[in-house]
Amino acid sequence: MNSKYLAVISLVVMAAGFVITLLLPQHVAVVLLQGGFEAGLVGGIADWFAVTALFRHPMGIPIPHTSLLLKNKARIVQSLVAAMETELLNKESIEKKLRGMNLIQRGASALTKALGKRRVRRKVLEWLIQLVHRIPLEKLVPSIQSGLIAYVKKIDLKDSAEKLAAKIMEAGYDEKALDYVLLEATTWVNRRETKLMLSKLAGEKLSEVKMGGFMGFAFQAVAGFMDDDKLGGMLQNMIVSSLQDLQRPDNAYRETIVREIRVQMFQLASNEAYMEQAKTWLVTQLQQEQFEEALLARLQDVRDMLVNRLEQEQEAAGRLVLVTYRKVVRNLERDPDWIAALEAKVTSAIVSAVGANHYRLGQLVKENIDQMDDASLVAMLEEKIGKDLQWIRVNGALCGFIIGIVLALIHLL
């Protein structure tokens, strides 16, 4: 039964009992009951008045010292806020609680338990796919472009070029580049059209040679035996053979060419004028609209590749996610000092945030209460504590009934 109705029933019972005893013949038992019902009625009405006076004016009459909660609303709120900040939720107790919670360990355990469920892994991957799709690449391009331009303008291109040249030399990319050029040149020289071109050039140059005497006669005699096709083939074989010789690591000419390439690389890297021109050219290229389009296209490719990989992982129930997470956790568990340091940093950051925003707890309570009108505030309080208050009224009636019987008995004696 609703306690509110129970309190009303107790008053009705006391009032009805008192009226009935007035109508009954006077007898010891009737006198005792009449005294009990009378005192119970008075006690119930008194407690009803007292409880009602906390929230509103009884029967709407502005009796002094009633509607106490509304009259003292500001003071009660201030006391509540002060109690929360200094006693219930003071910074010291919060800090002590946080430092003993082992946030990293608890968070890792909770995350491990959650990722152990296939449904959770798929949901996480679905969320990641949506997040990747929503990345505004068009807005990122100008920022990335500006960052690259600022970086190029800021860096010492001369120092970077020297380091790049050193890495190219250490990795042997200079020799690989030479081999690539030699191989492509060999392929080009071996072509039929190249042989024809060499034949034509050789014929033209031989016809331009002017020699007199015996040397001229000998030269013309030898040239007469060589047609353009044979001359071109001979030149082609000579060039191919030379290019193949240069591809051998022990070839002396190859070593000379590689050494010269390296010297030129470092000389170019040390040339400040060239480096400044290169920086200006690079900045100009980065500012081009074509670069923006190319950068956007590459970002879109990366996003598509990432989404495709995440979708594949989602179809596989996110097993790779779980395996990767477990490997990370196992690696971290091997370094307890690092975990302890991270725990200290996280806790300190949270404690600092709580300390800086602790006053907001009381402020939030005050703002929420201030936003409520009087009727809503009274309704909320009655809803939260009304049940106990109604029992005060019931207890008042019952206690009054018992005390009334005792007093009537004393009066009879």
Side-chain angles (χ1 to χ4, degrees), residues 12 25 100 118 131 138 165 179 189 265 305 324 329 396:
V12 171
R118 180 179 300 183
L131 182 63
E138 295 78 6
D179 288 335
V189 173
M265 279 196 307
M305 180 181 64
T324 303
V329 171

Side-chain angles (χ1 to χ4, degrees), residues 1-10 382 385-394:
M1 181 183 293
N2 194 310
S3 60
K4 181 177 181 180
Y5 297 136
L6 184 61
V8 173
I9 291 172
S10 67
E382 286 186 325
I385 62 176
K387 183 177 181 179
D388 295 327
L389 294 178
Q390 295 301 329
W391 276 106
I392 292 176
R393 295 172 177 174
V394 175

Side-chain angles (χ1 to χ4, degrees), residues 130-168:
Q130 294 176 356
L131 182 63
V132 172
H133 273 302
R134 293 176 181 176
I135 296 176
L137 299 182
E138 295 78 6
K139 295 182 180 180
L140 287 179
V141 168
S143 300
I144 297 176
Q145 185 181 24
S146 300
L148 289 174
I149 293 174
Y151 177 75
V152 170
K153 290 181 178 179
K154 183 179 179 180
I155 63 171
D156 182 3
L157 199 58
K158 176 177 176 293
D159 182 65
S160 300
E162 290 178 349
K163 292 180 179 179
L164 178 61
K167 289 183 178 180
I168 289 175

Side-chain angles (χ1 to χ4, degrees), residues 78-189:
Q78 189 61 39
S79 300
L80 179 61
V81 170
M84 288 183 60
E85 293 181 347
T86 59
E87 298 178 16
L88 301 177
L89 293 174
N90 59 73
K91 290 188 289 187
E92 290 75 15
S93 63
I94 296 175
E95 179 178 351
K96 183 178 179 180
K97 187 68 175 178
L98 287 173
R99 293 193 182 280
M101 287 181 66
N102 294 326
L103 297 175
I104 299 298
Q105 182 177 357
R106 290 191 178 189
S109 299
L111 187 57
T112 300
K113 184 177 180 180
L115 291 178
K117 300 177 180 179
R118 180 179 300 183
R119 174 179 55 83
V120 174
R121 296 196 300 270
R122 284 180 171 173
K123 196 66 179 177
V124 170
L125 289 168
E126 180 183 351
W127 179 79
L128 287 175
I129 291 172
Q130 294 176 356
L131 182 63
V132 172
H133 273 302
R134 293 176 181 176
I135 296 176
L137 299 182
E138 295 78 6
K139 295 182 180 180
L140 287 179
V141 168
S143 300
I144 297 176
Q145 185 181 24
S146 300
L148 289 174
I149 293 174
Y151 177 75
V152 170
K153 290 181 178 179
K154 183 179 179 180
I155 63 171
D156 182 3
L157 199 58
K158 176 177 176 293
D159 182 65
S160 300
E162 290 178 349
K163 292 180 179 179
L164 178 61
K167 289 183 178 180
I168 289 175
M169 184 181 67
E170 291 173 2
Y173 290 132
D174 49 354
E175 294 191 49
K176 292 179 181 179
L178 177 61
D179 288 335
Y180 176 78
V181 172
L182 292 174
L183 183 60
E184 290 297 317
T186 303
T187 303
W188 178 79
V189 173

Side-chain angles (χ1 to χ4, degrees), residues 129 132-133 137 297-313:
I129 291 172
V132 172
H133 273 302
L137 299 182
R298 298 291 79 74
L299 290 176
Q300 290 173 341
D301 291 341
V302 172
R303 179 170 65 182
D304 293 342
M305 180 181 64
L306 181 58
V307 168
N308 183 54
R309 187 67 185 89
L310 290 174
E311 289 176 346
Q312 292 177 359
E313 182 62 20

